[in-house]
Amino acid sequence: MNKIIQLHTTLDCHQEKAFRMFVGINEVTSWLASEAIIEPRVGGKYELFWDVRDKRHNSTIGCRINAYEVNKLLAFDWKGPFEFKSVMNNVDPLTQVIVVFRSSINAGCIIESRTDLTLLHTGWRNTDKWDECRLWFEKAWDSAFKKLKSECLNDHSGKMW
């Protein structure tokens, strides 16, 4: 069984905006979390909060950025929600999310106004409980990507592409 979550999508925005959707606090909170602390550099915090009244249990508190190449690559640690906390939040290493950003190519031509995005969520262990976590995240990432695609159409930066 494949233990890696792989998602691919094409966003209707430039690569720079697609990258901001993952590292900009306003952008991340528009589609993925209620609050965020993001320090965009290797070793920087990548902490997302879904319940701001209970930041210890429904968050990625303590997670860090492991790879960072502006507009091209982002990798960060990831934790599970409260129901999976005992399974995936106290292991070493944590699961990891890797996101790759590329301008779309159609018939050999680069389409700069569209971005091909690949997300890999790795580090899943081999138990039934871990399989339950992974299946939950497959659905959660799919749902989040639908919102991301919608939000990417809205430019919060004030820039005109």
Side-chain angles (χ1 to χ4, degrees), residues 1-9 96-98 117-122 124 134 137-139 141-142 145:
M1 178 186 281
N2 187 354
K3 298 289 181 181
I4 298 174
I5 296 172
Q6 296 182 50
L7 292 172
H8 307 281
T9 194
Q96 175 147 293
V97 176
I98 303 155
L117 183 83
T118 300
L119 179 140
L120 304 170
H121 192 162
T122 68
W124 304 101
R134 184 179 43 75
F137 270 104
E138 284 179 359
K139 292 175 185 164
W141 281 121
D142 186 60
F145 264 38

Side-chain angles (χ1 to χ4, degrees), residues 87-98:
V87 178
M88 57 186 296
N89 292 5
N90 295 312
V91 296
D92 188 16
L94 294 168
T95 63
Q96 175 147 293
V97 176
I98 303 155

Side-chain angles (χ1 to χ4, degrees), residues 98-113:
I98 303 155
V99 189
V100 179
F101 307 82
R102 290 183 304 270
S103 290
S104 291
I105 298 177
N106 186 6
C109 297
I110 295 174
I111 305 170
E112 291 187 8
S113 63

Side-chain angles (χ1 to χ4, degrees), residues 34-45:
S34 298
E35 271 186 29
I37 299 171
I38 299 170
E39 299 169 345
R41 59 178 167 76
V42 172
K45 292 180 180 182

